[in-house]
Amino acid sequence: MNRTGEPSVAELMAQLAANAAEIAALKAEKEALSARVVKLEEELELARLHRFAPKSEKHVDRLFDEAEQVANEDEASGEDGEVVDLPETGFATIEKPEGKKRGRKPLPEHLPRERVEYDLADGQKACPCCRHQMHRMGEAVTEQLHIEVRAKVLQNVRFKYACRHCDRTGINTPVVLAPMPAQPLPGSIATASTLAFALVHKYVDGTPLYRLAQAFERAGVPVSRGALGHWVIGSSERHLSRIYDALKLRLRSQPLIHGDETTVQVLKEKDRGATSTSFMWAYRSGEDSGEPIVLLDYQPGRGQIYPQAFLGDYRGILMSDGYTAWRTLAGATHIGCMAHSRRRFIDALKTRKKGGGPPEQALKFFEQLYRIESQAKNEKPEVGETQADCIRRFRQQHSVPILIALKAWLDDIAPKVLPDSKIGYAVSYTLNQWEYLTRYTEDGRMSIDNNLLERDIRIFATGRKSWLFSDTVDGARASAVVYSIMLTCRACGVEPLAYLRHVLSELPQRATDNDITDLLPFNFTKAAAA
């Protein structure tokens, strides 16, 4: 029997249950807040490193002294797990190549030489010892690089002819004017060489048009920024777009295409704000292609309709990151980018104060996979074997066991890491993309990552830091065309200034339905060699 005013057993049990529920809720809230703190600390550290630290993704093994190693082992949490040894596949260790020798390189042999001679005055040719006349015993030659940039005016003089007989006896006197070759931009003061000069400075050297106009002004040739803009758009729409369209058809017939996208801002676009984000979609042929092609395609958005419209019913191999818009091309064989997975583990490693742990372990797997790729490219095929078959055989022997061990390690560590942490994100991304990431081992033509195209896009991104935005949609499309030509020239090893001079002189002479195969960059190198 309970005393008056004292709670009953049932009330105490209910209160106890309520307290237990409150404690559980507080624990859950504490764990959620702790996980959020970890995530925010990682984001803050990455932001700091992104601003101040080197951008290189090269992995350098950390070396600790014995005391520090023991301390790390004692402080290791449950997520660190044990160190996993990579499986032995018979892969030979590759020695690092020797570093480049320092010192000034000799000037290229193909440059013309001009002798500038310096001699002693006649009064200085007497021997300072005995005052007898000295003879010339040789010469000391040093070389300097001398560059001159000069502008000149071409006067196109067209002779006129008339008939004196018709002038005396006829009603009309015909006047015949000598023709001149068709010009890239009729009515413009710019020759093909001038257009090429402006395009290379903007799209190869990343010089904005306003700074290019200032350079012309300093040279005593006033050219407005608007005129330069007309030169760029006119060259693209009238001529270079023909090269672009021909390259686009060739690209669609390639067995492998790399795909990626990056942002661009256009100020004056219909029904869109000046601060809205548009995209440059990038496409590239494979590294071993006999016809290297790099194309940019300006589009206002990032939807799946844009790669579908560009590639059509493409049936080859498509390399991309994990963005789902690329995977909507039903006819293509899709492969993922191993570098994107590796990059996430690098970010996870950067957020750890003392390094090591799961990120370091994962990077050892990736390091071995990339060493195998480097060796596979140098392997010589066996008799009756293609290079692609040789690479596939090498990957099956060495890469597949490493990937199997990596998958087992990921499955083991996935439940032990915080899902919202950088290491948790890296693990989940890799497991979700596993089918696409490992498909490259099935075909020697496939690449392990998308770095080839990312290096090309970097040129566009670097230029974007200078010019910041495009003023109009026409300007953005013209930029896509010219950047495509310049990047394709770079992939083909073609000097862009010489190439543009040639095609901007030649294209105006050819009808729109004429064949221009010989003007494509990869054929320009063959023509130059011949």
Side-chain angles (χ1 to χ4, degrees), residues 37 61 73 105 123 141 147 156 166 187 193 203 235 251 261 273 282 301 316 411 429 443-444 477 481 483 496:
V37 168
D61 291 333
E73 290 173 1
K105 296 181 180 179
V141 180
I147 298 177
N156 299 303
C166 292
S193 180
Y203 294 102
S235 299
L251 181 65
E261 72 284 338
D411 288 336
Y429 175 87
D443 192 330
R477 289 173 179 164
V481 170
Y483 263 119

Side-chain angles (χ1 to χ4, degrees), residues 346-387:
I346 289 178
D347 287 344
L349 181 62
K350 289 178 179 178
T351 61
R352 295 177 67 92
K353 296 180 180 179
K354 295 185 178 180
E360 190 87 24
Q361 176 65 59
L363 291 176
K364 290 180 180 179
F365 284 104
F366 289 109
E367 183 179 9
Q368 186 71 351
L369 289 173
Y370 274 91
R371 283 180 178 174
I372 294 170
E373 286 303 298
S374 178
Q375 184 75 10
K377 294 178 181 179
N378 299 323
E379 284 293 303
K380 294 183 178 180
E382 297 178 353
V383 178
E385 188 180 43
T386 64
Q387 184 65 36

Side-chain angles (χ1 to χ4, degrees), residues 169 336 422 446:
T169 62
K422 290 298 178 183
M446 297 180 180

